């Protein structure tokens, strides 16, 4: 899967609302990171925002990483946040 990020993302995107919150959170992190690692900043930002909005986890470390990474994506993508 490491050499086929598109295939991995398709699998991660299939993790649905019926999955336990921690599973959804882990899938969300992996999805966002996969976009970020390829420099796909807009898609990564969308994935991080979706993870934040999902409230799938109460883990403050995961939430903090998500917010930090979202800001990084905006910076790399040169988007303005209001």
């Amino acid at each position: 899967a490491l050499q086929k990020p598109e295939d991995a993302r398709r699998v991660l995107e299939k993790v649905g609302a019926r999955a336990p919150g921690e599973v959804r959170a882990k899938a969300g992190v992996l999805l966002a990171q996969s976009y970020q690692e390829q420099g796909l900043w807009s898609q990564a930002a969308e994935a991080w925002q979706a993870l934040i909005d999902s409230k799938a986890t109460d883990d403050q470390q995961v939430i903090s990483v998500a917010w930090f990474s979202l800001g990084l994506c905006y910076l790399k993508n040169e988007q303005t946040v209001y």
Side-chain angles (χ1 to χ4, degrees):
L2 294 176
Q3 296 170 359
K4 297 186 178 181
E6 295 85 10
D7 293 343
R9 285 194 286 261
R10 276 193 285 278
V11 171
L12 292 168
E13 288 168 350
K14 290 182 182 178
V15 174
R18 289 185 171 176
E22 292 306 313
V23 172
R24 286 185 287 129
K26 183 67 174 173
V29 168
L30 291 171
L31 180 64
Q33 286 176 337
S34 74
Y35 284 125
Q36 207 167 303
E37 287 169 3
Q38 290 196 300
L40 301 171
W41 303 111
S42 292
Q43 294 93 324
E46 287 177 25
W48 286 120
Q49 188 67 60
L51 173 62
I52 292 164
D53 293 344
S54 76
K55 299 186 181 1
T57 183
D58 292 328
D59 184 331
Q60 291 302 308
Q61 185 174 358
V62 172
I63 295 166
S64 296
V65 166
W67 279 110
F68 175 83
S69 298
L70 178 60
L72 177 66
C73 291
Y74 281 129
L75 179 68
K76 294 285 190 175
N77 205 33
E78 300 179 344
Q79 294 181 0
T80 303
V81 180
Y82 293 100

